[in-house]
Every structure is written in C-alpha cells, then in structure tokens.
Amino acid sequence: MWMLVPVSFTLKLLSAFLQPLGSLWSSLGALFPRLRAAFWLAGGKKSQQQRGRRKPRETSREDEEDRDLPITPTSVNYHFTRQCNYKCGFCFHTAKTSFVLPLAEAKRGLLLLKEAGMEKINFSGGEPFIHDRGEYLGQLVKFCKRELQLPSVSVVSNGSLIRERWFQNYGEYLDILAISCDSFDEQVNVLIGRGQGNKNHVENLQKLRTWCKNYRVAFKINSVINRFNVDEDMKEQIKALNPIRWKVFQCLIIEGENSGEDALREAGPFVISDEEFEAFLDRHKDVPCLVPESNQKMRDSYLILDEYMRFVNCRNGRKDPSTSILDVGVEEAIKFSGFDEKMFLKRGGKYVWSKADLKLDW
Ligand code: SF4
C-alpha cells in the first residue's frame, strides 16, 4: 500500500508532466511543415532574389556597356514621306501625316548623318516617288552621291510612279533600287492592296528591271510574306528577274501603324506564324539571293528616321520617336533609336552595297 501511494503519485506526476510535453510535441509537429515551408520559401525567395538580382545586374551592366558604346549610323533608312498611292493592308509606315521636310533641311540632316559616319542611305516611305513626282527624291539621291559621296544610295519603292525620265536624270547617282513585290499573281496583289486602278504590278516590275539594267542601277526585290502569299512558289519568277538581293520579310505588327485603335491599318488577318514563314523560306531555299528577315530580326536592327528626321524605336512593338537630329544632333537622338548594332550585323545588314563594287553583269 505504502508502495502503491508513491507509485500512483509518481504516475500522476509523470502523466501531468508528459501531457504538456505531448501537446508541445503535437504543437511542434503541427508547426513543423509550416516552419519547413517558411524556411523553404525564404530560401527559395532568397535564391530567387539572388537569381533575380544577378540577372538584372548582368543585363544592366551589358546595357550600360552598350549604352557607353557610341552607335554609328552606318546604314540609315530615311522615310521622308508617309504618303502613298497604294493601300497595303499590312503597311507599317502609314500616312499619318503629310509632312515632308524642306529640301534644304533634309540635306542638312543628311550632312549631319554623313559627319556621324553614315555610309549608306536608303530612301523610303510611304512611296518616295510620290512627292513632287520624284524630283525631291532625285535631288536627295544626287546630293548624297555627288556632294556627300556616300558609298551607297538606295531607294525602296512600290515602283508604280517611276518614269524612265527619272532614270535618265538621276540613275547614275543611285546604287540600288528595291521594288516591293509580294506576289506574281496579280489577284493576290490586289487582295493585299498593292495596286492602283488598272496598273499591273507584275508587268511594271519587268519594265523596271529593264530600266535598271539599261541605266546601271542594281535591282533588288522586297517581299512581305503574309496570309495571302504564304503558300506561293516564286522561285522561277525571282530567278528570271535575277535581283542582287531578294529580301523576304515576315509580316510585322506595329502598334499605332497597323494595329490598335489609332492605327490606319489592321494587319491581324495578314499575320503568319514563325513556322509558316520557315516553310516559305524552305520552299525557296535554292534561290541564292534570298535574304530572310523574321520579325525578331526586323524589329531593332534598322536605323529608321521618320519624316521629321527623328529616329523611331520599334523595340516595344510600336514606333516611339526620338527628338529630331536637326534639333539635338545625331549623337543625342540616336541614343533613343533602340538600334541593335549586333543584330544589324547578324542579319547581314552590311553587305556589298555600292554598285561600283558589285561587279554586275549589266
Ligand atoms: S506600297 Fe509600301 S508604303 Fe505604300 S501602302 Fe504599301 S507598304 Fe505602305
């Protein structure tokens, strides 16, 4: 009995002691997964933060290095007018203004670009032959070749407004004429909007090819691959025309130009996938002069000047303008161009672009 009292007392004491311990363990047991999760999350967050921090630091260092490197405007595309006589559904430089710089101002800007290192100028639009029936363009072409002595002067046009007289007056100053042609089926051109009245775009292309040959201007073709021509086979026609380059672009969406509320075009129905573009390229891989340009290559590998001589930055999928080179100079304005010099070189932006070096069999 004596023995029983201390034993029962001891057991009670023990159970009283163990109860809180048990609840402590059970509490700890319940807490453990949460604690573990908290530690894991904290660790994860920390490593994420480290990863996150490391990446921007690397990127920003690269960006800073890139920013530190002065951009040379080796090759510039000057879209001096937005006006055009065609209505291509995917157009990404639309007639949002009718402004064209006075000739003297445009020449001043071109001189600034030459002093900053420009070697090639490409005049584009809109349609560059529309303003003053091509006289304005002719004066700029002549100025760039004769006064500025640029190695390469080129023009991109839809070809519909070019007359033989223009070649007679200015052909000698022009290195390359690029004509836009997306299809050799006239019905497809009409569907795209590359056409005006009864003019036949394909027949006109043949005529221009002959004039280029006769007046010693290198001939180039630009095509935009889109929903309406993506299945076409152009091999034979391109080979017969024998351009020095056949630039093949993937239809590109630019907010504010061919997409969005304030756009003048809606290019959505024209867009094709990367795979469809690749299939087109694959079908034409035997054409030696083909130069492909996917959306990725196009976006930031061009130095584009608008009608006010402002660089336009397309990096964010729209055209954000800098201040004009006429107001702040080339060095300052070009910082906002979004231009990727590495991509420019990667896409073969620098090539034999002077007709003197092309050694063409006219
Ligand atoms: S020809 Fe060129 S500038 Fe004119 S509407 Fe077509 S894509 Fe636009």
Side-chain angles (χ1 to χ4, degrees):
M1 181 72 193
W2 182 84
M3 281 299 288
L4 284 175
V5 174
V7 167
S8 74
F9 176 75
T10 312
L11 284 173
K12 265 189 184 166
L13 200 70
L14 258 176
S15 87
F17 179 72
L18 282 173
Q19 229 169 350
L21 255 186
S23 63
L24 178 69
W25 282 118
S26 66
S27 307
L28 274 178
L31 264 177
F32 185 71
R34 288 186 217 169
L35 285 170
R36 196 177 52 172
F39 282 126
W40 185 82
L41 275 175
K45 245 186 202 164
K46 199 175 167 192
S47 61
Q48 263 181 355
Q49 278 167 355
Q50 280 168 345
R51 279 198 300 271
R53 251 186 262 129
R54 205 178 303 133
K55 194 154 188 175
R57 208 180 294 140
E58 283 170 2
T59 311
S60 67
R61 202 164 40 225
E62 271 176 25
D63 283 354
E64 277 163 23
E65 281 166 8
D66 281 353
R67 263 199 299 275
D68 289 346
L69 290 172
I71 302 170
T72 307
T74 314
S75 175
V76 177
N77 296 273
Y78 176 25
H79 297 245
F80 66 82
T81 179
R82 282 177 169 271
Q83 296 296 304
C84 185
N85 56 327
Y86 277 12
K87 288 189 170 52
C88 307
F90 49 70
C91 181
F92 50 84
H93 203 76
T94 53
K96 296 194 114 181
T97 78
S98 55
F99 182 80
V100 176
L101 276 172
L103 192 60
E105 278 295 272
K107 285 183 179 175
R108 181 167 77 84
L110 290 165
L111 176 61
L112 292 175
L113 288 160
K114 157 82 185 189
E115 287 166 352
M118 178 171 70
E119 293 173 32
K120 179 180 190 288
I121 183 75
N122 177 52
F123 295 107
S124 187
E127 169 48 48
F129 284 85
I130 205 168
H131 188 65
D132 198 17
R133 296 174 172 229
E135 274 307 298
Y136 182 93
L137 172 69
Q139 291 300 320
L140 292 183
V141 165
K142 189 174 171 181
F143 173 75
C144 284
K145 186 54 90 180
R146 220 164 67 166
E147 310 297 323
L148 302 184
Q149 305 206 331
L150 292 183
S152 183
V153 181
S154 67
V155 171
V156 174
S157 162
N158 66 34
S160 63
L161 303 174
I162 309 177
R163 302 285 168 266
E164 189 171 7
R165 182 157 291 282
W166 194 93
F167 280 92
Q168 288 163 353
N169 293 339
Y170 302 110
E172 64 177 299
Y173 310 112
L174 185 63
D175 290 278
I176 303 167
L177 176 65
I179 301 295
S180 309
C181 178
D182 304 325
S183 175
F184 290 91
D185 178 342
E186 196 54 22
Q187 287 312 308
V188 174
N189 284 323
V190 172
L191 269 177
I192 288 170
R194 279 209 201 276
Q196 194 193 24
N198 295 328
K199 284 180 188 166
N200 186 307
H201 194 74
V202 179
E203 279 172 22
N204 201 39
L205 195 68
Q206 301 287 349
K207 190 175 67 184
L208 289 161
R209 176 70 186 99
T210 309
W211 286 342
C212 280
K213 192 174 182 334
N214 293 349
Y215 293 93
R216 304 283 195 264
V217 174
F219 179 70
K220 184 177 161 185
I221 298 176
N222 287 352
S223 301
V224 178
I225 307 312
N226 61 79
R227 178 61 46 222
F228 298 97
N229 64 0
V230 68
D231 296 322
E232 200 168 321
D233 186 338
M234 308 184 190
K235 282 193 293 279
E236 294 314 313
Q237 292 93 333
I238 294 288
K239 282 181 185 169
L241 285 162
N242 192 24
I244 54 150
R245 269 161 93 83
W246 180 33
K247 267 275 186 87
V248 175
F249 302 96
Q250 183 181 0
C251 182
L252 179 70
I253 291 283
I254 297 280
E255 190 74 21
E257 295 284 348
N258 59 19
S259 172
E261 274 178 15
D262 55 340
L264 297 181
R265 297 283 196 285
E266 178 44 63
F270 291 84
V271 169
I272 54 166
S273 67
D274 293 349
E275 291 73 28
E276 287 174 302
F277 184 60
E278 284 303 321
F280 182 92
L281 296 178
D282 196 51
R283 196 178 318 127
H284 295 87
K285 63 179 183 296
D286 296 336
V287 181
C289 58
L290 191 156
V291 181
E293 268 184 40
S294 62
N295 285 175
Q296 195 212 352
K297 279 188 189 170
M298 272 174 84
R299 217 164 252 134
D300 45 17
S301 66
Y302 282 86
L303 267 178
I304 299 172
L305 276 180
D306 72 2
E307 65 276 25
Y308 301 97
M309 283 200 157
R310 305 178 299 187
F311 285 108
V312 289
N313 183 334
C314 301
R315 280 204 170 187
N316 296 320
R318 51 176 194 268
K319 290 189 168 175
D320 295 324
S322 69
T323 31
S324 172
I325 64 167
L326 297 168
D327 297 328
V328 295
V330 176
E331 201 182 321
E332 193 55 33
I334 210 169
K335 287 178 191 166
F336 300 93
S337 63
F339 179 60
D340 184 343
E341 210 160 9
K342 284 181 211 150
M343 186 55 97
F344 164 72
L345 295 171
K346 198 172 151 192
R347 73 162 167 83
K350 202 159 183 183
Y351 57 100
V352 183
W353 51 32
S354 168
K355 66 178 169 185
D357 301 328
L358 276 165
K359 298 187 176 60
L360 289 174
D361 178 16
W362 303 100

